[in-house]
Amino acid sequence: MELSNRIQRLKTSPTRKLNPYSEEAERKGIKIYHLNIGQPDIETPKLFFEAIEKFNGKTLGYAHSRGIKPLIQKIQEYYDKMGIHYEEDEIVITYGGSEAVLFTMLAIFDEGDEILVAEPYYANYNSFCDVLNVKRNAVRTYAENGFHLPNRDEIEKYITPKTKAYMFSNPSNPTGVVSTKQELDDIAYLSKKHNMYIISDEVYREFVYGDRKAISFGTYKDLAENVIIIDSISKRFSACGARIGCIISKNKNFMNAVFRECQMRLSAPTLEMIGAAALYDLPSEYFEIARKEYDNRRKILFEELTKMDGVIVKEPEGAFYVLAKLPVKNAENFAIWLLKDFNINGETVMFAPGEGFYATAGLGVDEVRICYSLDSEDLKSAMNILKEGLIKYRKEVER
Ligand SMILES: Cc1ncc(COP(=O)(O)O)c(C=O)c1O
């Protein structure tokens, strides 16, 4: 029996690619510091569970395909506080940001269309592009200058009449970049000029450090028809398992199409939407505490990485990731070696190899994405393992 061509194009996620090696190591009793997966370890606020416990319906039914009203209204209020007003029919609730990206892409792209991206980018964008047969026109960015965009003229070279959208995450997974106002202005100018959508994935909006600010594309009022915002509670409220996200846009035609997609899968999870609505009642101090914690980890990580011989890394600005260039020929082989052949007192560390975050074959082979969703002490131990591992690997394996 044959499978579709579409599904044969779909590759294993780079963040989970090394799981067989980690499972084998764990079977042998090795403790692994998982720096490969972007799952926050901060507790999900109790409000979420309490709201679900209060549910007293006799039947757990489908909700409205668009999502439950109380959650949509909470999201409206949340955006109102940012100075951006959306009407109820400009928001639909999805199964996480993941379904929001999938529905958005399904609504925009035909097979063979093109998408403008800056590589490296969130690896699952590759999966969606592969399944839908969308070609990535990838503008290269570099570890050496913190993965910021090149100038507007350079980006424009990658746009053709078939390029229908620019998609990016801000703050960025996997690089930790927070887009500057100039970068957003450049994208705004190009999307207007070339009639492109902007798919602005803002799921890490709250996690920015220092005096930076993540500027939402929703603030670009003259681009209302172009802008589509992808949002989610997974990272914002440490609630990845709830699977609640949303699509937001003022483009009525697009939102009508998305609504029809929502109808085809009936409804998002009813109880989790109730829990999610409660989360939007958290005071802003919640984010202050979470931000402080991530910022502390970010500083530890950056400090430790810059001390390592040959590692190239710029200070991460947002989200909870850093993409570091390592002094090895092949970071995936090194990551496998760490899981198979190296440990310190029965402990080792796991990273996501960088290659899966690129569109262009051969790029990112000496890079790893490190997620700092571990507490400070564990992070320090993990960095020590990386440092010692690098020394041994370069001396004994990759001489
Ligand atoms: C940039 C980005 N967008 C979207 C998602 C999807 O998250 P979820 O489906 O849990 O909302 C993730 C998850 O890691 C992400 O990093």
Side-chain angles (χ1 to χ4, degrees):
M1 299 288 275
E2 297 216 338
L3 294 172
S4 66
N5 290 332
R6 184 186 314 117
I7 217 64
Q8 292 185 51
R9 291 192 294 267
L10 183 59
K11 299 184 194 77
T12 308
S13 157
T15 55
R16 291 169 173 79
K17 195 173 176 185
L18 306 189
N19 280 2
Y21 300 99
S22 64
E23 282 158 14
E24 180 57 28
E26 274 163 349
R27 263 196 296 278
K28 288 187 194 148
I30 305 280
K31 174 178 170 174
I32 299 173
Y33 293 104
H34 283 273
L35 299 176
N36 56 315
I37 272 212
Q39 164 131 310
D41 63 330
I42 290 176
E43 279 186 18
T44 309
K46 289 202 172 44
L47 275 177
F48 176 83
F49 303 106
E50 286 164 1
I52 292 177
E53 273 165 24
K54 281 192 207 131
F55 176 79
N56 62 2
K58 296 269 182 263
T59 306
L60 185 57
Y62 295 121
H64 193 287
S65 296
R66 186 182 292 293
I68 61 169
K69 232 181 174 90
L71 175 57
I72 293 175
Q73 285 167 347
K74 291 287 177 201
I75 294 172
Q76 280 182 296
E77 286 165 24
Y78 164 89
Y79 275 89
D80 278 341
K81 281 190 207 137
M82 288 166 50
I84 314 168
H85 182 72
Y86 289 104
E87 301 299 332
E88 267 180 43
D89 62 357
E90 293 169 347
I91 301 171
V92 297
I93 309 300
T94 54
Y95 275 81
S98 307
E99 191 186 59
V101 174
L102 177 63
F103 278 3
T104 296
M105 292 186 69
L106 267 176
I108 293 177
F109 295 101
D110 283 314
E111 285 210 33
D113 281 344
E114 296 171 0
I115 189 165
L116 181 68
V117 285
E119 61 183 349
Y121 50 80
Y122 175 46
N124 276 342
Y125 295 165
N126 270 336
S127 303
F128 296 126
C129 287
D130 286 340
V131 164
L132 299 176
N133 215 2
V134 172
K135 179 172 174 269
R136 279 131 284 183
N137 295 351
V139 181
R140 175 100 192 259
T141 64
Y142 296 86
E144 287 77 0
N145 78 345
F147 295 105
H148 277 283
L149 286 176
N151 65 35
R152 198 166 82 184
D153 294 341
E154 179 60 26
I155 300 171
E156 195 165 20
K157 289 182 195 159
Y158 294 82
I159 301 173
T160 79
K162 292 189 105 180
T163 315
K164 287 197 162 167
Y166 175 69
M167 180 157 68
F168 77 128
S169 63
N170 177 35
S172 163
N173 173 8
T175 62
V177 164
V178 177
S179 303
T180 62
K181 175 83 170 58
Q182 183 61 55
E183 285 171 313
L184 298 184
D185 287 351
D186 288 346
I187 294 301
Y189 169 87
L190 291 172
S191 72
K192 250 195 164 158
K193 181 172 170 190
H194 295 279
N195 204 24
M196 291 188 307
Y197 290 99
I198 297 171
I199 308 171
S200 188
D201 181 340
E202 304 183 6
V203 305
Y204 296 99
R205 181 181 296 125
E206 274 75 16
F207 306 113
V208 280
Y209 313 110
D211 51 12
R212 296 175 188 92
K213 243 188 134 37
I215 304 167
S216 172
F217 249 122
T219 58
Y220 283 68
K221 302 259 187 292
D222 59 332
L223 277 175
E225 284 294 300
N226 305 60
V227 170
I228 297 159
I229 301 213
I230 305 296
D231 208 344
S232 167
I233 67 161
S234 291
K235 321 287 166 161
R236 176 168 305 138
F237 299 117
S238 271
C240 296
R243 309 310 302 131
I244 298 292
C246 62
I247 302 175
I248 306 177
S249 177
K250 291 199 167 289
N251 183 320
K252 300 270 182 231
N253 198 27
F254 166 77
M255 286 309 276
N256 278 333
V258 165
F259 183 44
R260 296 200 299 278
E261 294 179 275
C262 291
Q263 288 174 334
M264 108 186 143
R265 61 82 168 112
L266 308 179
S267 139
T270 304
L271 285 179
E272 282 78 358
M273 285 196 279
I274 293 170
L279 287 173
Y280 279 91
D281 288 333
L282 282 165
S284 58
E285 293 84 74
Y286 169 77
F287 297 114
E288 288 312 316
I289 295 165
R291 194 167 20 239
K292 220 164 155 189
E293 175 61 30
Y294 284 127
D295 193 15
N296 189 32
R297 298 173 185 187
R298 174 185 78 110
K299 286 177 181 149
I300 293 168
L301 189 74
F302 182 57
E303 203 181 303
E304 294 302 321
L305 285 172
T306 42
K307 277 193 249 166
M308 292 178 208
D309 198 23
V311 172
I312 297 175
V313 63
K314 287 275 181 210
E315 188 188 2
E317 301 167 342
F320 30 76
Y321 306 98
V322 62
L323 199 69
K325 211 185 237 291
L326 302 184
V328 296
K329 287 195 192 85
N330 185 306
E332 182 169 323
N333 290 346
F334 172 59
I336 293 171
W337 177 84
L338 284 171
L339 293 170
K340 275 177 66 185
D341 301 314
F342 185 75
N343 69 78
I344 296 180
N345 301 326
E347 298 184 343
T348 192
V349 65
M350 184 169 178
F351 305 104
E355 217 175 341
F357 299 93
Y358 285 83
T360 310
L363 294 186
V365 279
D366 56 353
E367 294 172 5
V368 287
R369 189 196 68 172
I370 306 172
C371 174
Y372 42 100
S373 57
L374 288 184
D375 73 35
S376 310
E377 284 315 304
D378 282 355
L379 208 52
K380 281 183 194 159
S381 306
M383 285 301 104
N384 184 49
I385 294 169
L386 171 63
K387 186 178 81 191
E388 296 300 327
L390 268 177
I391 293 169
K392 190 162 194 257
Y393 187 77
R394 292 171 75 193
K395 211 191 267 169
E396 295 178 13
V397 185
E398 226 185 42
R399 275 176 297 160

